[in-house]
Amino acid sequence: MDRVSSFDEPLKKLLGGATAKVMAEHLDLHTVGDLLHHYPRRYEERGKLTALADLPLDEHVTVVAQVADARILMFNNGRGKRLEVTLTDGSGRLQLVFFGHGVHKPHKELLPGRQAMFAGKVSVFNRKMQLAHPTYQLLDASDADEATEAVDAFAGRLLPIYPACKQLDSWRIAKAVDAVLPSAQDAVDPLPVSLREGRGFTPLPEALLKVHRPQTKADIEDAKARLKWDEAFVLQVALARRRYADTQLPAVARRPVEGGLLDAFDAKLPFTLTEGQEKVSKEIFDDLATEHPMHRLLQGEVGSGKTMVALRAMLTVVDAGGQAAMLAPTEVLAQQHHRSITEMMGELAEGGLLGGSEQGTKVVLLTGSMGAAARRQALLDLVTGEAGIVIGTHALIEDKVQFHDLGLVVVDEQHRFGVEQRDALRSKGKQPPHLLVMTATPIPRTVAMTVFGDLETSVLDQLPAGRSPIASHVVPAKDKPHFLARAWERVREEVENGHQAYVVCPRIGDEAEEDGKGAKKAKAKKAAPDEDPEKRPPLAVLEVADELRKGALAGLSVEVLHGRMHPDEKDDVMRRFAAGDVDVLVATTVIEVGVNVPNATAMVIMDADRFGVSQLHQLRGRVGRGSAPGLCLLVSEAHEASPARARLSAVAATLDGFELSRIDLEQRREGDVLGQAQSGVRSSLRMLTVIDDEEVIAAAREEAVAIVAADPELEHLPELRTVLAALLDKEREEYLDKG
């Protein structure tokens, strides 16, 4: 059998159809290679064989003993079952207990007189030593030698515990691994020999043996170090090759022009750019001046002035004869960007119009809900090149939209934007346009290196002058209702001082609720006051606004904003709020990104525990955008000791988005962070954890970059090429292609 194919061997050939079917359906394991990369989650120490008379409390032990008696007892009025088994080994007695569905098998097998090995943790119940739900293996009394051997193997080993499923427990997975383990010898080692030896790594076949059947704890550490490195390295090589391929694509260099739009814009800025904005702008201008497409991720704290940096890049491209498109995730945000960019540019945004600057250009908006005439005009302005800047939603990606010369694409809020969409817009240039992706969700460095590994990263981490600090507090509405009353008083005080406030709710709350049936149930079932807040439906914009108008905020102008309003209606509410005609805006998370009303100083987030950490941080960034300090109140009915409350306290304790993103990642682990869209990365990370293995990822990236620079096609590294091909099957290749 050749070296690669034994890993590609279907499991059903070796394990039989039924087991292979369960593995495929429930664990996504199809080949010998898949199973060899299905690593143990942890290892049980059997402990040395212990006499029943000497059992230590609270420790894992392994005993060999004979069943003295076994009986099933009923409890809970006959609804519950437990199996009690008494063991004896001549030195003492020990009780085993099994509950619920777990009683059937041991009841059939652990018959008086049978001898077996049992492993579990010793506890005390009713002043008797016991093992609850121990694992066990029956011993064949007829063959004394075999029994002795089994005892030794069972007792002395570190027992691997595998990620299992209801249909297939860890013992059976371990047996299946035993069947395929000889194939570990055929593992294709992706690491160049010099790298493996230089870093002192165990050879791959040995690492696979050690991770599945370790003799010592040192074996486990050895194996983990090697397997983590492989995952990080292979992924980083894939990303480095993608970046290298991008540098080989042609693009039109867009260099700044003296005395052009950018200079005119800078001259009329009422403030100076921060050091961070200057630095990041330079990185972007350097990229734009090259003849291959820029691929840059711009991470900036909420309110750090990313839009300003992006606009200056767009103006540079217009100066150089190209067009720039900014893609926003929602219509509200596209309109908001259009409004703020035209305001920032003033007469420079009225190119070709009466009163417009002769250096100016046209800035057009393109969204799905525009009227036919306005849409026709916008499309015409794009194809003729009359419009240098277009801002829109995914409507920009439709086939009908043609550009005169698309030079730069700016994508706002990457995490809401599909990779396919980013790609479709990219294909609208005569040559690939430059790409700038902006996100206000700070991403820990390692996640950026893993998820956005095809993008170079720029970080804006200082706030522009004039931004005010935001005080954040948790309001425990259930434990201390008077705190909530005080929260509404604070909102009133802000309004009396000439400011405005947001109130954010998780749900809209009319009958046409997203899941149809859910809303009617939600309406019908108001939560009882002592009910678990998780059980009641989340608070809704329409209901909360109604209650506030009648109660705590009576007499103030309270308006609502949510995603199902007509776009004109949404725009009208936002305009009036921005103009100061609305005191309090009760909204869903449509205000999460990009909404900029410097006079809004307070935000109350209802059911705050139902939002994620980064979402709360985003929302909070809508206040404190002017000279007056901001206030963010996180209202929650979650119990004080709950993880939800811990999350809220973390948000209240720091304004540092990078710190929060780290907390968020620790709480959710990387599965959710990498997300479904990044399924390729996710399914290829089995041993590596993005948060704990920062050094491994950074070192692997460095090695990968060096290797790809020296040998882009990996001609001298056929093993690495083979492993990459296996990792990057069609779906993953596409994912990495689209970034």
Side-chain angles (χ1 to χ4, degrees), residues 44 67 84 122 152 168 286 408 438 473 491 606 629 646 688-689:
E44 289 287 5
V67 177
E84 286 186 0
V122 185
D152 290 345
L168 198 64
D286 288 349
L408 170 66
M438 299 198 296
H473 304 285
V491 170
M606 308 302 291
L688 195 71
T689 55

Side-chain angles (χ1 to χ4, degrees), residues 96-378:
L96 312 179
V97 61
F98 300 85
F99 291 100
H101 298 304
V103 306
H104 306 304
K105 188 167 172 258
H107 189 224
K108 279 200 282 225
E109 294 183 335
L110 299 178
L111 304 171
R114 288 302 300 262
Q115 199 177 26
M117 293 182 286
F118 302 88
K121 194 173 181 184
V122 185
S123 56
V124 171
F125 181 71
N126 275 348
R127 293 207 289 276
K128 279 188 197 157
M129 292 275 203
Q130 72 164 26
L131 299 182
H133 278 290
T135 49
Y136 64 88
Q137 193 170 323
L138 298 171
L139 296 174
D140 184 357
S142 63
D143 184 340
D145 285 348
E146 197 180 304
T148 310
E149 207 174 289
V151 169
D152 290 345
F154 184 90
R157 252 199 353 235
L158 287 159
L159 180 78
I161 304 297
Y162 287 92
C165 58
K166 200 165 71 189
Q167 297 77 0
L168 198 64
D169 59 28
S170 177
W171 291 90
R172 282 165 65 203
I173 295 172
K175 271 209 164 67
V177 169
D178 283 337
V180 301
L181 211 46
S183 300
Q185 292 308 322
D186 303 327
V188 176
D189 197 325
L191 294 194
V193 179
S194 58
L195 195 161
R196 192 185 81 222
E197 290 174 353
R199 288 186 174 265
F201 286 129
T202 304
L204 184 57
E206 196 184 314
L208 288 168
L209 286 173
K210 282 180 168 178
V211 79
H212 288 292
R213 298 293 172 263
Q215 299 299 309
T216 62
K217 287 185 178 169
D219 281 355
I220 299 171
E221 290 316 306
D222 258 9
K224 280 187 169 175
R226 169 66 216 255
L227 296 167
K228 275 183 181 183
W229 178 272
D230 278 18
E231 284 178 11
F233 176 70
V234 171
L235 183 60
Q236 290 302 334
V237 169
L239 291 165
R241 290 186 74 193
R242 172 67 38 229
R243 286 195 303 277
Y244 178 83
D246 284 340
T247 65
Q248 304 308 299
L249 289 173
V252 180
R254 311 283 178 174
R255 296 185 181 87
V257 172
E258 260 188 56
L261 247 178
L262 178 64
D263 286 352
F265 175 74
D266 282 351
K268 61 194 276 307
L269 275 182
F271 51 81
T272 52
L273 297 174
T274 65
E275 224 172 286
Q277 285 173 318
E278 292 277 14
K279 177 174 144 288
V280 170
S281 289
K282 182 176 180 334
E283 291 171 351
I284 292 170
F285 291 161
D286 288 349
D287 281 0
L288 290 174
T290 57
E291 291 182 354
H292 55 81
M294 161 170 84
H295 290 105
R296 192 166 279 281
L297 174 70
L298 172 56
Q299 293 192 60
E301 273 291 12
V302 179
S304 58
K306 290 183 302 299
T307 312
M308 171 63 70
V309 169
L311 175 56
R312 293 182 73 242
M314 289 158 82
L315 295 175
T316 301
V317 169
V318 175
D319 274 343
Q323 290 169 294
M326 182 185 256
L327 226 53
T330 63
E331 293 214 345
V332 166
L333 192 51
Q335 287 161 341
Q336 172 84 29
H337 274 319
H338 181 252
R339 196 159 48 236
S340 64
I341 282 175
T342 47
E343 278 166 14
M344 282 198 264
M345 286 176 65
E347 75 280 7
L348 295 173
E350 296 164 2
L353 300 179
L354 204 62
S357 158
E358 57 195 63
Q359 286 159 310
T361 187
K362 230 181 190 182
V363 179
V364 300
L365 177 68
L366 189 64
T367 61
S369 63
M370 284 168 77
R375 186 180 172 78
R376 243 194 331 271
Q377 183 60 52

Side-chain angles (χ1 to χ4, degrees), residues 17 446 484 511 524:
T446 39
L484 183 57
E511 292 305 328

